Amino acid sequence: LVSRENHPDRSTVHVGGVPIGPDTVTLIAGPCAVETPQQTLEAAQMAKAAGATLLRGGAYKPRTSPYAFQGLGEAGLRILADVREETGLPIVTEVVDAHDVDLVASYADMLQVGTRNAQNFALLQAVGAAGKPVMLKRGMNATIEEWLMAAEYIAQRGNLDIVLCERGIRTFETATRNTLDVSAVPVAQRLSHLPVIIDPSHSGGRRDLVLPLTRAAIAVGADGVIIDVHPHPEQALCDGPQALVDGDLRELAEIMRTFPQLM
Ligand code: PEP
């Protein structure tokens, strides 16, 4: 279903009216985690001012340590809904448990499946049946074939509104959190008709890499990027070191506007 064999034209997925696909490079931005109404609103306003058309933000956070901030849960979803009301930006938010899919789908414009759940087949089937577009991150240990098969689980439930997100894979390299596999973008786009975007924030885990990796994303033809922003990264409860502040995000958006014309 997700293969290009029977579907030669590349697809565009619409999220709350915003297109992600071959004719555009979509900027999705927002906080890694929803922490407070004020922080989420400020991050969303930064995103919107820079030109982002979708708001990201996690209410359910899949953290490596059980002692780390796990997200606000439904209270976080309510904050996202309020911020959508205020800014008009449709929401992309993660669901980590199949039992929460209906609840998260009742607030979200797009459901995100994260790298740690990328082969959680029960979750993939549940999001496939939820009637909302899905962003499927690549498992950090998944081959491209495994990633596409994970997308197939969603598609098999009748949902072809799937966006693939390359977010770095685990390699021997320790200088970055994960290694962004830029080649995965053209490879996945050749094998599948689904749009493919890049997450330069979670792959590198470092603010100073977000702009260079965004250039790389544009250069290889990614259909969009998803970026962490925070009004006060030093106070962030999750992944502060990779969050962009206002000026950085504007610079990134400017690169997205001008860089493609240089190539
Ligand atoms: C996220 O986008 O909030 C996230 C946790 O990403 P990943 O699943 O890629 O680590």
Side-chain angles (χ1 to χ4, degrees):
L1 297 171
V2 308
S3 161
R4 243 178 128 166
E5 254 168 48
N6 305 319
H7 195 302
D9 293 336
R10 300 196 51 233
S11 301
T12 296
V13 171
H14 290 89
V15 182
V18 174
I20 308 178
D23 300 326
T24 171
V25 187
T26 305
L27 174 58
I28 307 168
C32 183
V34 174
E35 299 168 8
T36 66
Q38 181 65 19
Q39 165 259 5
T40 307
L41 181 61
E42 280 181 39
Q45 285 166 337
M46 285 162 56
K48 188 169 180 175
T53 47
L54 294 170
L55 173 66
R56 64 145 292 144
Y60 295 84
K61 295 303 302 176
R63 304 305 296 280
T64 301
S65 164
Y67 304 111
F69 176 60
Q70 303 287 311
L72 298 179
E74 189 173 2
L77 296 175
R78 281 197 292 270
I79 293 173
L80 285 169
D82 289 346
V83 170
R84 171 178 52 202
E85 189 74 22
E86 179 101 15
T87 61
L89 293 175
I91 302 163
V92 184
T93 195
E94 180 161 356
V95 56
V96 297
D97 187 318
H99 296 108
D100 295 331
V101 168
D102 289 343
L103 175 72
V104 179
S106 71
Y107 290 91
D109 297 286
M110 178 179 233
L111 297 169
Q112 175 175 327
V113 176
T115 191
R116 291 161 188 81
N117 269 314
Q119 284 189 306
N120 178 338
F121 300 118
L123 178 63
L124 296 172
Q125 287 171 328
V127 297
K132 288 281 164 84
V134 179
M135 180 200 300
L136 175 63
K137 296 251 187 140
R138 179 179 179 184
M140 65 180 92
N141 300 308
T143 63
I144 292 171
E145 175 67 18
E146 288 165 338
W147 186 23
L148 297 181
M149 279 301 158
E152 195 72 19
Y153 269 89
I154 300 170
Q156 210 191 27
R157 290 290 158 127
N159 186 355
L160 272 171
D161 287 331
I162 306 165
V163 172
L164 301 169
C165 179
E166 161 61 39
R167 52 78 66 208
I169 52 175
R170 184 159 274 186
T171 68
F172 56 81
E173 183 55 69
T174 55
T176 51
R177 180 195 285 141
N178 292 117
T179 301
L180 183 67
D181 180 8
V182 283
S183 59
V185 174
V187 172
Q189 286 173 341
R190 250 161 239 164
L191 292 172
S192 170
H193 56 89
L194 301 177
V196 185
I197 67 168
I198 272 185
D199 182 340
S201 303
H202 286 85
S203 51
R206 288 170 35 181
R207 183 174 306 121
D208 63 320
L209 297 179
V210 174
L211 265 64
L213 295 181
T214 297
R215 281 198 195 89
I218 296 167
V220 292
D223 301 307
V225 290
I226 177 165
I227 307 290
D228 280 12
V229 297
H230 198 290
H232 308 287
E234 67 294 346
Q235 293 166 20
L237 297 179
C238 182
D239 289 348
Q242 73 201 25
L244 296 192
V245 292
D246 208 15
D248 299 336
L249 187 67
R250 284 170 195 263
E251 194 181 335
L252 180 141
E254 188 55 25
I255 288 169
M256 289 180 65
R257 274 190 288 274
T258 53
F259 189 59
Q261 285 135 39
L262 302 176
M263 300 198 325

